Amino acid sequence: MPAPPQVISQYRCFDGTVGFYSHQSSACSSEMKFAVYQPPQAKAEPVPVLYFLSGLTCTEENFITKAGTQQFAAKHGVMLVAPDTSPRNTGIPGEDEDWDFGTGAGFYVDATQEPWSQHYRMYSYITEELPVLIAEHFPVKRDRQGIFGHSMGGHGALVCALRNRDRYLSVSAFAPIVAPMRCAWGQKAFNNYLGANQEQWRAYDASELILRADWQRPILIDQGTADNFLENQLKPQLFEQACTQVGQPLTLRMQSGYDHSYYFIATFMEDHIRHHAEALWA
Amino acid sequence: MPAPPQVISQYRCFDGTVGFYSHQSSACSSEMKFAVYQPPQAKAEPVPVLYFLSGLTCTEENFITKAGTQQFAAKHGVMLVAPDTSPRNTGIPGEDEDWDFGTGAGFYVDATQEPWSQHYRMYSYITEELPVLIAEHFPVKRDRQGIFGHSMGGHGALVCALRNRDRYLSVSAFAPIVAPMRCAWGQKAFNNYLGANQEQWRAYDASELILRADWQRPILIDQGTADNFLENQLKPQLFEQACTQVGQPLTLRMQSGYDHSYYFIATFMEDHIRHHAEALWA
């Protein structure tokens, strides 16, 4: 049984509790931080849990302070868990040099390449270690998990769900990187974390995974049309084509005039929480 | 007619627009920044405008990114304006030395003491200059103004409203400093901005002003019981007593377990926007 996470700070919010925590991660061999919102219903009984994976440069704080999600989690009785986006202060040379690689940019993969493979194992952290920790120390229904995210975290959410159909009941994303093998952000990360063999990349590319995932349940994606990263990095049409190819239900909403910011995320958050709550409380 | 404010950035949000602006303030003889949320209704017709004054250390950003207000402003058709909390980079020696005085701590007064009186004229800025600028460059009903704020900004909102019954139709506050003459934050600020003569302080103390304001319209205040500043700085009971003395309607809600953070503010934001919208659209 993992040691309990240390409480960094706690705040009452919408009749529940926002908390920030740290713990020693075995997957990442480093300290990791995460935020949790416990809705008021969790005082009386275990509730479903919904993971949010953040985008490049974010920490465990951005989602909890800017997305306005707690009110809807409180309404629907869903616990929120928002992990950091990478290990930090690992001592790996160059970890802080790029904004789109290393610190703040773990890309939710298990790195196989030195020196990153020592610490950058976010896929195992998110799908295995963290859920065990949460289930041990917070009142959750462990078999009622959903996952969503933004940009790099939208990529992470889709990958985690599509590879673990038995562990996640619902998935959605805001402006996700849907085809990392076919954009510069993904290629840079995968080359460095996973090596040059692109066959190894397919396990972390949602547009590849969906072809054989047999996910079937509805997927919701919101994408702003004024997003600066839309054309070169995000490319939602590639995922849409793959879904069409295999008959996967996808609701891809192109939101006119919205950009890549949390102002966009907050605008459509209520719909996403409803999407997850319907599956998690079904 | 004042020069148009310069656009720093704009973001689509809840079918309206968040914008950050800067302009040369005549009241403060310096550049000032502010944020505006234009609700969708403002595309078709002028709407009422609600000013939010932030607390110590804040800029024009905190409220717009953390309070989750835009959704309710969009619902009720109210424009939000969130100014910075002081002039910045004025060159006054010591302006950046204290977190509770000078930069980020203008206290919404017109300083009379050198060197602050050159720039720290936030009262005139908020009540006179900024409303004129907003009315000239944004689609607002200029005679439908409300004001609210947090902590130091709650103090500012109450003072601005109570001194200008003809200019503001509604007022509310989160964890306001209601009696600055009787707390250390207020005494420090008033001594330095206004001088040692406490008679001059009364014009900026809500618990003094309410005694002769003849405000009469309802006032809403939310205060967390777990707020670290409650006992020594905020003292809502002093304002409550003054309201009782003159028969002023006050809804003071002591919110169990809530602290001084934006998690508290966000939790009760919907009620505050409703409070203002009822008056502004009446």
Side-chain angles (χ1 to χ4, degrees):
Chain A
M1 176 163 146
Q6 288 195 298
V7 179
I8 298 169
S9 59
Q10 289 184 320
Y11 309 86
R12 195 154 191 79
C13 186
F14 287 97
D15 200 25
T17 305
V18 166
F20 291 92
Y21 306 88
S22 70
H23 72 118
Q24 187 61 31
S25 162
S26 56
C28 297
S29 299
S30 74
E31 182 189 58
M32 289 293 293
K33 292 181 180 173
F34 60 90
V36 174
Y37 175 66
Q38 300 189 58
Q41 295 86 342
K43 296 171 205 165
E45 58 167 355
V47 296
V49 56
L50 179 56
Y51 290 82
F52 185 89
L53 306 185
S54 294
L56 289 166
T57 77
C58 288
T59 70
E60 70 283 3
E61 284 196 42
N62 303 62
F63 168 74
I64 289 287
T65 56
K66 293 184 171 183
T69 317
Q70 288 91 314
Q71 61 188 307
F72 306 118
K75 179 180 173 187
H76 291 285
V78 172
M79 190 168 302
L80 303 172
V81 179
D84 199 355
T85 55
S86 77
R88 290 175 193 268
N89 307 310
T90 62
I92 296 175
E95 67 180 336
D96 295 335
E97 275 175 20
D98 292 0
W99 72 274
D100 58 356
F101 182 74
T103 302
F107 264 86
Y108 307 103
V109 303
D110 283 350
T112 57
Q113 304 299 298
E114 292 291 338
W116 309 102
S117 55
Q118 302 278 329
H119 297 287
Y120 280 69
R121 302 187 67 248
M122 289 297 290
Y123 177 74
S124 290
Y125 178 71
I126 297 295
T127 59
E128 293 178 11
E129 183 178 8
L130 189 56
V132 170
L133 188 80
I134 294 294
E136 293 284 358
H137 300 288
F138 295 86
V140 295
K141 295 177 188 281
R142 185 155 174 205
D143 60 342
R144 313 301 292 177
Q145 291 193 149
I147 192 164
F148 66 152
H150 172 229
S151 193
M152 175 184 75
H155 142 73
L158 289 167
V159 166
C160 290
L162 297 178
R163 286 177 62 168
N164 297 280
R165 200 183 181 287
D166 54 331
R167 295 193 199 168
Y168 300 98
L169 299 174
S170 56
V171 66
S172 75
F174 298 90
I177 302 170
V178 296
M181 295 176 69
R182 288 180 271 178
C183 75
W185 280 342
Q187 289 160 357
K188 177 178 179 178
F190 287 5
N191 253 314
N192 284 283
Y193 291 135
L194 304 174
N197 181 356
Q198 298 205 3
E199 282 307 309
Q200 306 300 317
W201 299 9
R202 295 184 193 278
Y204 296 107
D205 185 300
S207 296
E208 295 287 332
L209 290 168
I210 196 67
L211 297 175
R212 53 183 189 280
D214 195 30
W215 178 261
Q216 295 178 349
R217 287 158 278 183
I219 297 175
L220 172 62
I221 293 179
D222 276 310
Q223 171 64 56
T225 63
D227 186 325
N228 286 333
F229 305 115
L230 172 55
E231 192 174 339
N232 291 327
Q233 305 284 359
L234 305 175
K235 307 184 181 187
Q237 74 281 3
L238 296 179
F239 188 67
E240 188 175 40
Q241 288 160 10
C243 286
T244 301
Q245 191 177 325
V246 295
Q248 164 62 43
L250 170 68
T251 302
L252 170 60
R253 308 192 302 188
M254 299 303 291
Q255 302 288 4
S256 181
Y258 287 88
D259 64 14
H260 203 62
S261 70
Y262 269 89
Y263 299 113
F264 155 65
I265 296 173
T267 299
F268 301 104
M269 183 54 73
E270 184 171 14
D271 294 346
H272 284 248
I273 297 299
R274 192 184 302 115
H275 167 85
H276 289 278
E278 282 172 3
L280 296 173
W281 279 110
Chain B
M1 178 164 144
Q6 287 196 298
V7 179
I8 300 170
S9 59
Q10 289 184 320
Y11 309 87
R12 194 155 192 79
C13 186
F14 287 98
D15 201 23
T17 305
V18 166
F20 292 93
Y21 306 88
S22 70
H23 71 119
Q24 187 63 30
S25 162
S26 56
C28 297
S29 299
S30 73
E31 182 190 58
M32 289 294 295
K33 292 181 181 173
F34 60 91
V36 173
Y37 176 65
Q38 300 189 57
Q41 295 86 344
K43 296 171 205 165
E45 57 167 355
V47 296
V49 56
L50 178 57
Y51 290 82
F52 185 88
L53 305 185
S54 293
L56 289 166
T57 78
C58 287
T59 71
E60 70 283 2
E61 284 196 41
N62 302 63
F63 167 75
I64 289 288
T65 56
K66 294 183 169 182
T69 315
Q70 288 91 313
Q71 63 190 305
F72 305 118
K75 180 179 172 189
H76 291 284
V78 172
M79 189 167 303
L80 302 172
V81 179
D84 199 354
T85 55
S86 76
R88 292 176 190 267
N89 308 309
T90 62
I92 296 175
E95 67 180 338
D96 295 336
E97 275 175 21
D98 291 1
W99 71 275
D100 58 358
F101 181 75
T103 301
F107 265 87
Y108 306 103
V109 302
D110 282 350
T112 58
Q113 305 299 298
E114 291 293 336
W116 310 102
S117 55
Q118 304 278 327
H119 297 288
Y120 280 70
R121 302 187 67 248
M122 288 297 289
Y123 176 74
S124 290
Y125 178 70
I126 297 296
T127 59
E128 292 178 11
E129 183 179 8
L130 190 55
V132 170
L133 188 80
I134 294 293
E136 292 284 357
H137 299 289
F138 296 86
V140 295
K141 295 177 188 281
R142 180 144 181 216
D143 59 343
R144 313 302 293 177
Q145 291 195 148
I147 193 164
F148 67 152
H150 171 229
S151 194
M152 175 183 75
H155 142 73
L158 289 166
V159 166
C160 291
L162 297 179
R163 287 177 61 168
N164 298 281
R165 201 182 179 287
D166 54 331
R167 295 194 199 167
Y168 299 98
L169 298 173
S170 57
V171 66
S172 75
F174 299 90
I177 301 170
V178 296
M181 294 177 69
R182 289 180 271 179
C183 76
W185 280 341
Q187 288 159 358
K188 178 177 179 178
F190 286 5
N191 253 313
N192 284 284
Y193 290 134
L194 304 175
N197 180 356
Q198 298 206 2
E199 282 307 309
Q200 307 300 317
W201 298 8
R202 294 185 193 278
Y204 296 107
D205 185 299
S207 297
E208 296 286 333
L209 290 168
I210 195 68
L211 297 175
R212 54 183 189 280
D214 194 31
W215 179 262
Q216 296 178 349
R217 286 157 279 182
I219 298 175
L220 172 62
I221 293 179
D222 276 311
Q223 171 64 57
T225 63
D227 186 325
N228 286 333
F229 304 114
L230 173 55
E231 193 175 340
N232 292 326
Q233 306 284 0
L234 305 176
K235 307 183 180 188
Q237 74 281 3
L238 296 179
F239 188 66
E240 188 175 41
Q241 287 159 10
C243 285
T244 301
Q245 192 178 323
V246 295
Q248 164 62 44
L250 170 68
T251 302
L252 170 61
R253 309 192 302 189
M254 299 302 292
Q255 302 289 5
S256 181
Y258 288 88
D259 64 13
H260 203 64
S261 70
Y262 269 89
Y263 299 113
F264 155 66
I265 295 174
T267 299
F268 301 104
M269 184 52 74
E270 185 171 14
D271 294 345
H272 284 249
I273 297 299
R274 194 184 300 114
H275 167 85
H276 288 279
E278 283 172 4
L280 296 174
W281 280 110

